[in-house]
Amino acid sequence: MNMKLLKTGKNVKTDLFNFSFSRSTTLLETSIKTNGLAQLPYGIVVHDSIQIYEGLKRYTIALELGLDIDIIVKELSIKEAFLEKIRMSSTKYNPIECAAILTFANTHHIDYDLFIKYLGINIENAAAYLKLLTLPLSIQQKTATEPEFLKVSQLLLPKHEKDILEIYDIIINYKLNINQSYELCQIIDELRLKDASFKLDSLLNLEINSANSAQEFMTHIKHIRYPNYMQLKSVLNNALKSIKSSHIRFDYKDNFESDEVSLTASIRAPQDIEKIISELETNKNVITKLLSIIKRGTH
Amino acid sequence: MSLIKHILINNTVADKPYTLQILSRLKHVPIVFFDEPNFQSLKNTYDYEHTLLLTNLKGELLKDCPGTQCYSCCGYKILNIGANCLYKCTYCILQDYFKTKMQIVYADLEEYIPSVLEQLRNNSNSLFRIGTGEFTDSLILDDITHLSTLLIDLFRPFQTVFLELKTKTLCIDNLLSIKASDNAVIAWSLNTPRMIKDIEKGTPSLEKRLAAAKKVVDHGYHVAFHFDPIILYPNCLSEYENVIDMLFATIPADKIKWISMGTLRFTKGLKNNFYQRSPLFIDEFIQCNDNKFRYLRHRRVEAYACILSKIREYAPLVYTYLCMESPAVWTEVFGYKHNDNVIFENDFNAQVFKR
């Protein structure tokens, strides 16, 4: 294969193979400032210019630092350069970068089988990845920087744009974590299946304590989705709170399938046993109430 | 039978007598023979509910109903005659379970029958309730399989056996063509007219099911009824009570061997699938101790207690039970529970075999 060295010039471009999305270059910049370029960028001739296909960030940073850079130009087609880039790269691409790579492959008629394993995704998921690029930029950003958010993004994909933005606002406003965000998407889907006219905007401006906003919001939305269950839980939790005790703690199985209330007792000294018996006696009515609620509900 | 548009025949059962009998009743229906390895490619073309697949049984013909210890199971035995159903009840999981829509009939089942009979003879002190309606509707293909009469005659000599044929259909001609057997129980699934219309689309109406049941009773058979799945929706309990009024206005209580009740339930894997199926299923389900999703316990208890109370008005002695319910729910509905499944099975058998 023919290769030649080329000095930096005006006809060098970096747009064709640039799949990078939302990546920090600070470390690389420091390294180049200190040590110069450890490895030269690679390019190919496309029309009248050189397109860098490997070492894009190195090239861009070095250029900004005013360094004189050589480019190794290979005689490769766009497809060959793409495959070499993907196969040789040690970069772990984030979901949005994967989507950009798949889009590139579509544009240039490159079979997914030739490279998809290097992206760490399945061919069955390719269509879902491609759709990520239809999400608003803010959500793409979150998906790129927090790859676990992908499962939330995938639930957002089929929704209307207005819904997507409102759900994302809810996630940000109430600081929901990934699991809570995922659960929120599921609950909204279920509420919509039950009542297509269910509105999200009522969820956006709730008066919620900012310190526990995520938990409070999730309790609120669950009350909408599971009114009977949440009411039952709320009554039971209030009953538990009304227990006056320093040595005993009660708990119940929260699917209400068991007739039992479990008891944990803390014993630090033998005399605690008497206190526990006394506390059990004091709280007898609460225990009776707990068992009754579990069996009969709140009716 | 015009409902079958294609027949796929596994070459391993092509010359079985049962295959030939079925084919004799399906003249003019196109047939495709296949070897097992080619099945997947054929499936792409023929995977429709109107395709009849005649193939060999893999596994046992007679097996235990897949119950769990924590939710009471009555010790029912399943006779695995085939799989899938022509009806498309919204709550049905058969097509998901079997990964095909075709009507599967095990054409070599006659080869397994001697071992079943031997099992019954070797356990002549045990009582068996055997049914064919777990993986298919027992009678939906009876016009072409004639399996009902074959099985009734097969089990007729066994006084330790009840054979239950469970259906929603009106396919009773074959049943009426032979002498009724004391140990054959023809069972219908019942639901409210609203649910039959909404989520049992294409199935016979409640009136027609009860009329069919009346005919088999008049012919001399015992019958059974299954309120399963009970679906909870506003005002549902008065509608279920109306169904019971209709049931006992049509069928004499002493001809009913048993009645079961079971509310809607589904596995975790099917949760999202279920929610898509009907707004009725977007309810408050909780994951129970057997990992299945069910309505909240007190709502189930309320439904069972209401339906049971109505049944008891007409038929205090008919054995009525809950399918796959917890001992806690049993206690609240009936005032007692079975400490384990063997006790449940023995109690069930003691009640139904003595009558």
Side-chain angles (χ1 to χ4, degrees), chain B residues 16-43:
Chain B
K16 301 288 177 197
Y18 190 37
T19 301
L20 302 176
Q21 287 165 30
I22 290 171
L23 293 182
S24 73
R25 299 178 196 116
L26 283 171
K27 288 171 183 154
H28 313 302
V29 178
I31 301 172
V32 179
F33 292 92
F34 68 94
D35 289 322
E36 193 85 39
N38 302 329
F39 178 67
Q40 281 306 322
S41 58
L42 280 174
K43 201 178 149 198

Side-chain angles (χ1 to χ4, degrees), chain A residues 257 259, chain B residues 69-72 289 297 300 322 324-341:
Chain A
E257 288 291 289
D259 272 347
Chain B
Q69 274 302 326
C70 55
Y71 284 70
S72 304
N289 299 339
R297 172 177 151 185
R300 300 187 336 252
L322 303 176
M324 296 302 290
E325 266 300 354
S326 69
V329 168
W330 267 88
T331 305
E332 287 180 71
V333 175
F334 290 100
Y336 65 89
K337 66 177 178 181
H338 304 102
N339 286 334
D340 62 42
N341 288 342

Side-chain angles (χ1 to χ4, degrees), chain A residues 268-282:
Chain A
R268 291 177 197 84
Q271 54 269 35
D272 286 347
I273 293 171
E274 278 177 26
K275 287 180 190 162
I276 287 164
I277 292 167
S278 158
E279 284 178 3
L280 282 171
E281 195 60 45
T282 312

Side-chain angles (χ1 to χ4, degrees), chain B residues 139 165 167-173 175-176 180 184-190 204-226 243 246-258:
Chain B
L139 297 178
L165 302 176
T167 190
K168 291 188 180 90
T169 72
L170 312 176
C171 302
I172 55 171
D173 289 351
L175 299 173
L176 302 181
V185 177
I186 318 302
W188 271 268
S189 302
L190 299 182
S205 68
L206 176 64
E207 289 86 349
K208 285 182 177 169
R209 292 183 205 183
L210 292 176
K214 173 77 163 59
K215 280 186 189 167
V216 302
V217 163
D218 290 345
H219 193 72
Y221 289 101
H222 285 290
V223 287
F225 296 97
H226 298 281
V243 175
M246 287 174 67
L247 165 60
F248 287 101
T250 315
I251 308 293
D254 64 347
K255 293 294 178 186
I256 302 174
K257 271 288 170 191
W258 53 77

Side-chain angles (χ1 to χ4, degrees), chain B residues 33 98 114 130 145 166 177 192 236 284 330:
Chain B
F33 292 92
F98 290 107
I130 298 172
T145 65
K166 203 187 291 184
S177 72
T192 65
C236 65
E284 292 181 67
W330 267 88

